[in-house]
């Protein structure tokens, strides 16, 4: 295998492992979920800013009003994604939350069909239907079977789905901006807007910004370095070197990795309904992601 193929695949493997730690780090934190989301995005932005200024300072000056509007919409969508998903982890199992938030390809192809007039194949429709069936099994099965994991699993699952919808909006809103800007300026601007949006939510809800223990600051930093830098940034880099279908399918390793880490580190055993429904959801997402190529 040549380096041009091996390096992106290695980067994707590292990215999936890094992203899989996100839910565990959020669970370990005792800070309000929106505060953890704010500091994850803020610290990621702070870590990327020096590289941006050193390599792409001129690109910032080239941003037009249209670019700034697209960045603003993308950043707000990303903030909503983090806020709802982090909160969902307080109410449902890691396995259910991470699987449902990964449903974003379903919303992406649906949004592209409705808003961008992109072609939808029969395979795409099948993938969406299969994924929805899995979501129903996962969300209602535990409640009917009396084996739910989490204080309010249906509410947590709904929040995770909203997080997936917001992630899809983040992808759709950022398409035009990503095509006109290099990777580093794009993610730094979007992360910066997302941090401001999350800060507004933190202040509106009256959560303190300081006074957290050293352990919490280390967790915030871990979220930024692991899932932020080594996770999503490597994924975006890999998109320039391998097919997006490979990236989409590889990212389905996150629910599996997160569920395994939750079992090992949190002793959280997903219910049989979550496992069965999650498998169906992942099958539907796989069909949808591959059919959209």
């Amino acid at each position: 295998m040549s380096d041009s193929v091996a390096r992106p695949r290695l980067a994707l493997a590292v990215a999936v492992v890094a992203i899989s730690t996100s839910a565990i780090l959020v669970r370990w934190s005792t800070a309000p979920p929106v505060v953890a989301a704010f500091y994850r995005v803020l610290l990621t932005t702070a870590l990327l800013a020096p590289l941006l200024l050193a390599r792409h300072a001129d690109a910032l000056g080239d941003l037009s009003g249209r670019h700034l509007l697209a960045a603003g919409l993308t950043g707000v969508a990303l903030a909503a994604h983090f806020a709802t998903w982090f909160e969902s982890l307080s109410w449902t199992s890691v396995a259910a939350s991470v699987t449902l938030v990964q449903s974003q390809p379903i919303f992406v192809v649906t949004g592209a069909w409705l808003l961008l007039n992109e072609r939808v194949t029969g395979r795409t429709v099948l993938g969406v239907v299969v994924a929805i069936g899995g979501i129903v099994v996962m969300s209602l099965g535990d409640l009917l079977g009396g084996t739910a994991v989490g204080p309010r699993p249906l509410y947590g699952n709904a929040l995770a789905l909203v997080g997936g919808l917001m992630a899809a909006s983040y992808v759709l809103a950022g398409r035009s901006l990503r095509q006109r800007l290099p990777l580093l300026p794009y993610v730094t601007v979007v992360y910066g807007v997302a941090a401001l949006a999350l800060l507004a939510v933190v202040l509106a809800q009256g959560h303190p910004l300081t006074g957290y223990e050293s352990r919490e600051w280390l967790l915030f930093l871990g979220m930024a370095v692991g899932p932020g830098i080594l996770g999503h940034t490597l994924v975006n880099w890999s998109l320039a070197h391998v097919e997006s279908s490979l990236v989409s399918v590889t990212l389905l390793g996150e629910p599996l990795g997160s569920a395994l880490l939750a079992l090992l580190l949190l002793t959280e055993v997903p219910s049989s309904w979550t496992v069965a429904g999650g498998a169906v959801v992942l099958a539907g997402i796989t069909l949808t992601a591959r059919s959209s190529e």
Side-chain angles (χ1 to χ4, degrees):
M1 185 182 297
S2 65
D3 287 345
S4 61
V5 176
R7 289 176 61 190
R9 292 190 176 185
L10 177 60
L12 280 175
V14 172
V16 169
V17 172
I19 293 172
S20 297
T21 66
S22 183
I24 308 303
L25 295 173
V26 174
R27 275 290 191 85
W28 277 343
S29 175
T30 58
V34 70
V35 173
F38 164 66
Y39 278 117
R40 166 180 166 164
V41 179
L42 178 66
L43 292 174
T44 301
T45 307
L47 292 171
L48 291 175
L51 292 175
L52 171 68
L53 295 176
R55 298 185 179 182
H56 299 284
D58 293 342
L60 292 177
D62 295 335
L63 284 174
S64 65
R66 183 179 178 182
H67 289 161
L68 290 173
L69 177 60
L73 293 174
T74 306
V76 170
L78 182 62
H81 159 70
F82 280 129
T84 52
W85 178 52
F86 276 39
E87 181 67 24
S88 78
L89 288 164
S90 299
W91 303 102
T92 190
S93 68
V94 167
S97 176
V98 177
T99 301
L100 292 174
V101 84
Q102 273 293 346
S103 62
Q104 55 178 295
I106 306 299
F107 297 115
V108 168
V109 298
T110 304
W113 171 57
L114 292 174
L115 303 175
L116 304 177
N117 295 319
E118 292 188 3
R119 183 175 63 92
V120 175
T121 66
R123 190 175 182 180
T124 300
V125 174
L126 176 62
V128 172
V129 171
V130 169
I132 291 173
I135 290 170
V136 172
V137 170
M138 180 184 293
S139 298
L140 299 182
D142 284 335
L143 299 180
L144 297 176
T147 58
V149 178
R152 293 178 62 188
L154 193 58
Y155 175 63
N157 291 353
L159 285 174
L161 274 176
V162 173
L165 174 61
M166 291 299 101
S169 301
Y170 156 67
V171 171
L172 290 171
R175 276 185 176 177
S176 62
L177 186 63
R178 181 63 183 93
Q179 291 170 357
R180 292 166 174 80
L181 284 177
L183 172 64
L184 204 53
Y186 166 71
V187 296
T188 305
V189 170
V190 171
Y191 290 167
V193 173
L196 290 175
L198 287 168
L199 175 60
V201 176
V202 170
L203 295 177
Q205 294 182 354
H207 297 302
L209 289 171
T210 59
Y212 299 103
E213 297 179 357
S214 300
R215 175 179 178 275
E216 292 298 319
W217 295 107
L218 289 175
L219 288 173
F220 298 155
L221 182 61
M223 295 176 199
V225 173
I229 302 296
L230 296 178
H232 290 281
T233 305
L234 280 180
V235 168
N236 281 298
W237 175 82
S238 299
L239 281 169
H241 302 278
V242 295
E243 297 85 356
S244 57
S245 58
L246 175 62
V247 175
S248 298
V249 174
T250 301
L251 286 177
L252 297 182
E254 180 191 356
L256 303 178
S258 294
L260 178 60
L261 289 175
L263 176 63
L264 296 176
L265 301 176
L266 303 176
T267 63
E268 182 179 286
V269 180
S271 71
S272 57
W273 287 105
T274 296
V275 173
V280 176
V281 172
L282 294 179
I285 294 172
T286 303
L287 281 172
T288 304
R290 287 182 169 175
S291 68
S292 62
E293 296 303 316

